[in-house]
Amino acid sequence: MNILAIETSCDETALSIIQTHTYENNTNFKVLSDLVISQIDIHAEYGGVFPALAKREHAKNLVPLLKQALKEANLYTEKKINIENLEKIEGILEREPELYKSLISLLQNIETPSIDMIMVTYGPGLAPALWIGVNFARALSNIWNIPIIPVNHMEGHITSILLKENYLNQEHALLDLSEFSFPIISLLISGGHTQLVLIKNWGVYEIIGETIDDAVGEAFDKVARMLGMDYPGGPKISTAAQKGFENENIALPRPMINSGDYRFSFSGLKTAARYLIDDLQKEKKLNKQIIYDIAREFEHAVTEVLIKKTMSAVEAYNVQGLIIAGGVSANKFIIKAFKQKIEEYNIPLYLPEQKMCGDNSLMIATAGFINHVENKQKATIPENEIVAVGNLKL
Ligand code: KG4
Ligand code: ZN
């Protein structure tokens, strides 16, 4: 079976084609093409992701990515064909006339490729950005007469731990799900989310706690901006923190660390950083080394809170494993601290490989496959009922 996976929830336009082989109880994934266009440079100017711009870029990027992916997957054969339900597709892409035109001109000139299923992120994320991916998938589903499986982006991050980095054209038993015992706790840390999820089985999730205000990644990005670093600030804070020292004049709070529940709050930490930075600026003390020290202290504050809450969930639910995923799981300091901590517990720690931490479409294919093909309980939804849901929950 060939799967086309599409992810447009934020600032990466990602598209991939995966071939699955199922024998006995095992499914192997072979990645035929995996493409991504990052919009980071475009949004950096605005200090964060600008939704209308993200939408426009996705609409511009999707057709060229599809064309290239079909070529890489050897599914591209030039041939004039007649698309029958043009009016319906025009209706679906009504608000995106450019996307409609470029899609039709590609598809009228190639043989219908051997794609069996489309998996697309339908939430959570920026609604205008999500809609582009969803409507693109709906148009393709109509033209090629194949089903769509809508996928939750956060479930994608959870299943990103199953992906291998050296995947291209290699056959991997990506879905050897037998090694996992449940329940598992997953800490999801990204630009939009900070959640502790109790995983009772693949596809069966319960959010046991989440942030009441900012997400961790968001806090990284905002504090980075205060320190004069470009978007996305997470990786920049992380690099700066390595050069920082403990400094008794640089102290930030550990919000809600002793609240006794699984809720997080990072907005107060951000505000504390704001005051600290403003004061230092007034006193003309904000030099390079102080910036490194603040970055270090910020990273320590975040890490301590994440560890405290996560490990108390691990203890309370008697879990068989811990997953940490989402864009912020690329942070080496946080991960190192968790690796050390987990040694006190006799459970495995599952992490995505570095390249799979950020948004990608392979994780969307993986989540969609596990949920809807392996766990056959959920039927595919009719194409015209698939909508983008910005605040979609697990
Ligand atoms: O999952 P993701 O790629 O997109 C969302 O779904 O939000 O996460 C992006 C977030 C950004 O806030 C970015 O600054 C943060 O992940 N991030 C990091 C690091 N790499 C990415 N935060 C801290 N340290 C990093 N090394
Ligand atoms: Zn994400």
Side-chain angles (χ1 to χ4, degrees):
M1 181 167 70
N2 289 338
I3 297 172
L4 171 68
I6 302 162
E7 152 68 42
T8 65
S9 71
C10 192
D11 59 351
E12 320 275 359
T13 319
L15 185 147
S16 55
I17 299 175
I18 295 103
Q19 189 167 69
T20 68
H21 294 134
T22 302
Y23 18 98
E24 290 165 15
N25 288 325
N26 208 353
T27 298
N28 281 14
F29 261 39
K30 190 166 163 185
V31 177
L32 303 182
S33 175
D34 175 31
L35 304 173
V36 57
I37 298 183
S38 172
Q39 305 174 6
I40 282 178
D41 294 343
I42 293 161
H43 296 286
E45 245 180 84
Y46 298 84
V49 182
F50 192 59
L53 212 54
K55 173 187 145 137
R56 195 189 74 191
E57 290 301 306
H58 290 311
K60 200 166 79 186
N61 295 338
L62 279 169
V63 173
L65 284 183
L66 175 64
K67 184 174 179 180
Q68 193 187 337
L70 290 171
K71 284 184 174 169
E72 287 184 5
N74 267 333
L75 297 173
Y76 185 96
T77 314
E78 283 182 13
K79 184 184 170 187
K80 293 265 176 255
I81 65 152
N82 189 27
I83 299 174
E84 277 160 16
N85 40 0
L86 275 179
E87 264 169 40
K88 181 161 186 209
I89 291 136
E90 195 174 4
I92 293 172
L93 297 175
E94 184 177 40
R95 292 174 173 203
E96 304 306 329
E98 295 301 318
L99 176 59
Y100 169 77
K101 260 191 256 159
S102 59
L103 179 63
I104 296 304
S105 80
L106 170 67
L107 298 186
Q108 275 175 334
N109 289 297
I110 58 167
E111 214 168 78
T112 300
S114 153
I115 301 273
D116 304 278
M117 203 176 256
I118 302 170
M119 298 187 177
V120 63
T121 305
Y122 73 115
L126 302 170
L130 288 164
W131 272 113
I132 297 291
V134 165
N135 284 336
F136 183 69
R138 290 181 55 217
L140 290 174
S141 157
N142 268 283
I143 298 171
W144 293 339
N145 201 14
I146 54 172
I148 301 178
I149 286 177
V151 178
N152 183 310
H153 180 86
M154 300 315 288
E155 187 170 16
H157 276 303
I158 292 175
T159 62
S160 70
I161 58 145
L162 297 162
L163 293 161
K164 304 278 187 293
E165 253 176 31
N166 61 338
Y167 52 74
L168 216 54
N169 287 314
Q170 308 263 350
E171 191 128 332
H172 278 299
L174 281 172
L175 303 179
D176 185 8
L177 304 178
S178 54
E179 71 169 287
F180 295 88
S181 309
F182 296 92
I184 289 175
I185 285 282
S186 179
L187 171 67
L188 297 180
I189 39 180
S190 70
H193 290 79
T194 302
Q195 296 181 323
L196 278 168
V197 179
L198 181 66
I199 308 178
K200 297 168 187 172
N201 204 334
W202 294 113
V204 187
Y205 310 105
E206 182 192 337
I207 297 171
I208 59 167
E210 59 190 324
T211 179
I212 58 172
D213 42 53
D214 292 358
V216 184
E218 192 181 352
F220 264 98
D221 294 339
K222 287 179 177 164
V223 171
R225 206 174 169 195
M226 294 172 201
L227 294 173
M229 301 165 187
D230 290 342
Y231 173 83
K236 279 141 208 146
I237 291 240
S238 168
T239 309
Q242 287 167 14
K243 293 177 246 170
F245 295 113
E246 194 169 352
N247 180 334
E248 57 182 22
N249 300 316
I250 306 294
L252 291 171
R254 274 63 177 153
M256 292 183 76
I257 196 159
N258 292 318
S259 66
D261 56 21
Y262 305 119
R263 292 181 307 156
F264 300 89
S265 164
F266 294 105
S267 147
L269 177 58
K270 178 190 71 189
T271 310
R274 167 91 275 160
Y275 288 140
L276 177 69
I277 294 165
D278 283 352
D279 288 349
L280 288 164
Q281 224 150 15
K282 268 184 228 144
E283 295 163 26
K284 301 213 174 347
K285 285 187 186 157
L286 198 65
N287 59 35
K288 246 190 193 155
Q289 187 56 49
I290 296 284
I291 289 176
Y292 299 153
D293 296 351
I294 297 171
R296 178 190 180 275
E297 171 65 2
F298 174 78
E299 209 170 57
H300 272 71
V302 166
T303 306
E304 281 171 36
V305 175
L306 293 177
I307 290 206
K308 175 81 189 285
K309 303 262 170 173
T310 306
M311 297 332 276
S312 57
V314 162
E315 286 168 24
Y317 290 92
N318 188 25
V319 303
Q320 305 300 307
L322 172 63
I323 291 176
I324 307 177
V328 184
S329 67
N331 184 286
K332 296 213 170 70
F333 181 79
I334 296 176
I335 294 307
K336 193 173 159 208
F338 269 102
K339 279 185 177 162
Q340 270 166 9
K341 190 73 191 168
I342 202 89
E343 284 176 8
E344 297 167 25
Y345 301 75
N346 195 19
I347 58 165
L349 174 61
Y350 302 108
L351 302 166
E353 292 189 12
Q354 193 73 15
K355 204 173 156 191
M356 302 298 166
C357 291
D359 292 346
N360 62 82
S361 58
L362 293 180
M363 71 183 196
I364 301 307
T366 312
F369 191 85
I370 292 175
N371 220 359
H372 300 271
V373 184
E374 297 260 301
N375 291 357
K376 293 187 182 69
Q377 77 273 69
K378 290 185 195 166
T380 48
I381 298 170
E383 161 275 310
N384 57 355
E385 287 175 24
I386 299 173
V387 292
V389 186
N391 62 355
L392 183 70
K393 294 269 177 219
L394 264 176

